[in-house]
């Protein structure tokens, strides 16, 4: 996944506007406007870095003269105590942008680190690790990028990417067969259909409907193994629902093609990084 610069800048400016109303009372009254300083980003945990270029862009928006030395880049391993980057800029810009930049960098690195752990746990199987649409409002593009940096894959970006029949759609419309038929009659030929099923009878109906992807919702590993045998490659199988780092290896061993985790984006722990001024 590649981020567009205008998207990055729009999100950073929105975050800065949220954090600075019209003045930084502490910094603007305390620090001379011509003062220049250097700061360092220091890792306080082990993991996979993500968002360093985005975080540093915060400072060039505040101070176009800012300069950087990046020592660790996105997707690279970072260890406790590592210096990630050095920033030289007007001191006011460093202090005003500190929290916004760290919020971005810590959150994105937390996602890439959690994703990498899950990908590692699935090694040796055919399962790929994917995110979901359970993202924080306004941050989806950063969160989904961070998943790819950690070695995961993106599920659909939004509702326009794929027709996905969940239980709520089926409750509102009717049967799997009728819903898939209705979609085929109206949507373009390039759009895939994914159907959520909760048991093996629904799986059989979904297979007969000709959908391309089937989500196995909250099934046991025994049920998922049986679903793999029944499907026999006729559709891609996605395991979803209450997947954790403790259960993902066992789920991957069933032979499913995709394992999706909302926890990668909606409740991930921030990666611990601090900004230190060089005295």
């Amino acid at each position: 996944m590649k981020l567009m610069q205008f998207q990055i800048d729009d999100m950073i400016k929105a975050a800065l506007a949220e954090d600075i109303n019209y003045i930084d009372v502490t910094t603007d009254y305390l620090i001379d406007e011509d003062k220049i300083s250097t700061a360092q980003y220091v890792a306080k945990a082990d993991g996979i870095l993500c968002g360093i270029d985005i975080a540093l862009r915060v400072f060039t928006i505040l101070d176009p003269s800012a300069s950087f030395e990046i020592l660790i880049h996105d997707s690279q391993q970072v260890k406790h105590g590592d210096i990630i980057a050095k920033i030289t800029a007007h001191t006011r810009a460093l202090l005003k942008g500190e929290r916004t930049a760290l919020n971005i960098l810590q959150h994105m690195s937390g996602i890439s680190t959690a994703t990498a752990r899950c990908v590692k746990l699935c090694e040796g199987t055919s399962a790929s690790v994917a995110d979901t649409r359970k993202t924080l409002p306004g941050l989806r593009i950063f969160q989904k990028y961070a998943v790819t940096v950690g070695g995961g894959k993106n599920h659909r970006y939004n509702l326009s990417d794929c027709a996905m029949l969940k239980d709520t759609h089926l409750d509102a419309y009717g049967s799997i067969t009728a819903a898939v038929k209705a979609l085929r009659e109206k949507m373009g030929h390039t759009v895939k259909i994914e159907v959520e099923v909760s048991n093996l009878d629904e799986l059989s109906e979904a297979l007969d409907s000709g959908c391309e992807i089937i989500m196995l919702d909250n099934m046991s590993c025994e049920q998922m193994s049986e679903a793999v045998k029944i499907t026999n490659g006729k559709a891609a199988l996605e395991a979803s629902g209450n997947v954790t780092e403790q259960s993902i290896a066992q789920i991957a061993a069933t032979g499913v093609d995709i394992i999706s985790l909302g926890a990668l984006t909606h409740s991930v722990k921030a990666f611990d990084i601090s900004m230190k001024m060089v005295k």
Side-chain angles (χ1 to χ4, degrees):
M1 181 177 180
K2 185 174 177 60
L3 300 177
M4 306 291 284
Q5 192 62 52
F6 76 89
Q7 295 170 317
I8 294 172
D9 286 359
D10 284 349
M11 293 183 70
I12 290 173
K13 289 174 182 178
L16 287 171
E18 182 179 60
D19 207 34
I20 308 170
N21 188 0
Y22 63 95
I23 188 173
D24 175 348
V25 177
T26 310
T27 298
D28 287 329
Y29 288 155
L30 191 65
I31 305 298
D32 185 85
E33 64 180 351
D34 296 323
K35 184 178 174 69
I36 304 290
S37 297
T38 296
Q40 297 178 338
Y41 278 153
V42 182
K44 299 172 72 176
D46 298 347
I48 302 297
L49 189 72
C50 181
I52 185 60
D53 293 293
I54 298 170
L56 295 180
R57 177 61 177 150
V58 171
F59 299 105
T60 54
I61 286 176
L62 291 169
D63 178 6
S65 69
S67 62
F68 315 107
E69 180 184 1
I70 301 176
L71 304 175
I72 301 174
H73 294 268
D74 281 7
S75 79
Q76 292 183 332
Q77 181 78 33
V78 61
K79 295 188 177 299
H80 187 285
D82 283 349
I83 297 174
I84 297 167
K86 299 178 181 179
I87 314 119
T88 299
H90 283 89
T91 311
R92 285 187 178 184
L94 290 175
L95 295 172
K96 290 179 181 181
E98 175 183 3
R99 177 43 52 201
T100 295
L102 281 175
N103 283 347
I104 293 168
L105 186 60
Q106 289 177 319
H107 184 60
M108 295 180 72
S109 296
I111 292 172
S112 59
T113 298
T115 303
R117 287 197 300 266
C118 290
V119 170
K120 180 73 175 176
L121 290 166
C122 293
E123 283 186 351
T125 73
S126 59
S128 61
V129 174
D131 53 30
T132 72
R133 282 173 42 248
K134 295 177 182 177
T135 54
L136 300 179
L139 293 180
R140 181 171 296 177
I141 192 166
F142 284 0
Q143 292 185 310
K144 282 185 169 284
Y145 168 75
V147 168
T148 64
V149 168
K153 294 184 178 181
N154 295 144
H155 207 291
R156 57 180 180 165
Y157 182 76
N158 59 33
L159 296 172
S160 301
D161 284 342
C162 170
M164 187 168 175
L165 291 167
K166 295 182 69 66
D167 58 344
T168 46
H169 295 97
L170 295 171
D171 289 342
Y173 186 82
S175 70
I176 292 171
T177 303
V180 171
K181 183 176 183 296
L183 285 173
R184 291 283 186 214
E185 290 174 351
K186 295 180 180 180
M187 68 185 199
H189 67 283
T190 63
V191 184
K192 292 182 178 181
I193 298 177
E194 178 168 6
V195 176
E196 177 185 278
V197 302
S198 58
N199 57 57
L200 297 180
D201 288 339
E202 291 177 350
L203 170 72
S204 296
E205 184 180 358
L207 285 170
D208 289 342
S209 76
C211 65
E212 291 87 358
I213 311 162
I214 299 174
M215 176 188 287
L216 308 177
D217 182 47
N218 283 298
M219 285 191 181
S220 67
C221 286
E222 291 76 16
Q223 287 176 305
M224 284 189 274
S225 294
E226 185 63 24
V228 171
K229 293 177 185 178
I230 293 170
T231 303
N232 194 29
K234 288 180 284 187
L237 292 181
E238 174 187 343
S240 184
N242 297 315
V243 180
T244 66
E245 289 185 25
Q246 289 69 42
S247 65
I248 194 170
Q250 187 178 5
I251 293 170
T254 65
V256 295
D257 303 291
I258 308 138
I259 304 175
S260 58
L261 298 87
L264 292 178
T265 51
H266 69 56
S267 57
V268 73
K269 180 181 178 181
F271 189 82
D272 198 358
I273 298 170
S274 63
M275 189 183 91
K276 299 293 185 183
M277 303 294 283
V278 178
K279 296 182 181 179

